[in-house]
Amino acid sequence: MIALHFGTIPMGSNTLTGPSGRSISRTNTFAQYDVTRGKLELHEIGEELDTQSFDFFFSEEFCDPQSELNKLELAFAMKTPFPLLFATGGFIGKRYVVESLEITVQKTNRAGRIVRVEASISLLEAPVASLLGLFSSITRALAPALSRSATKNPNVRQ
């Protein structure tokens, strides 16, 4: 399987160290309406968010496992959407958040430093409806920080 990057987190550096497994889940939602006679009628509600799951490992042969594990745990904790990129530079075109994360430490050295860790990650699509929507969500996220800095800076007019 080809190597992927979730943001800056490598899921392998080449085809030998790339993800050992991948699954993609897509779902449509339908409503069923009763009719007087005959079978139920279907009404399309829409498409659910895509989910992608990967099984991969971090090994000291191609990265610092503890550092990459910290990045992965930070991505889980921050709930920030990241792009999913192929190692060849291709872009899947969607951003994802970490929905679930499972980590298994496979090997440590004598000092207790992690040498190899296996992980399973489930990513949930985080769509952006438009660039304007992306800009407004960034602005809303920054608004509290901007208002705090304005109250602390005496040179800023209120």
Side-chain angles (χ1 to χ4, degrees), residues 52-105:
Q52 294 204 33
S53 299
F54 296 94
D55 298 322
F56 59 99
F57 62 94
F58 295 133
S59 180
E60 68 181 351
E61 286 99 24
F62 64 89
C63 71
D64 177 9
Q66 184 62 55
S67 172
E68 299 305 327
L69 186 58
N70 291 343
K71 288 181 192 176
L72 199 56
E73 289 177 341
L74 183 63
F76 177 78
M78 295 291 292
K79 300 165 187 70
T80 303
F82 289 111
L84 198 54
L85 306 163
F86 289 107
T88 57
F91 175 50
I92 291 179
K94 297 178 181 177
R95 298 174 330 135
Y96 293 86
V97 293
V98 180
E99 183 177 32
S100 66
L101 177 64
E102 184 178 328
I103 298 165
T104 305
V105 176

Side-chain angles (χ1 to χ4, degrees), residues 15-35:
T15 55
L16 297 176
T17 61
S20 56
R22 176 184 184 192
S23 66
I24 301 169
S25 175
R26 294 186 177 106
T27 307
N28 286 320
T29 302
F30 297 92
Q32 298 180 22
Y33 296 106
D34 291 328
V35 294

Side-chain angles (χ1 to χ4, degrees), residues 108-120:
T108 59
N109 62 13
R110 290 183 181 170
R113 187 171 175 269
I114 296 174
V115 175
R116 181 181 169 102
V117 63
E118 292 187 3
S120 295

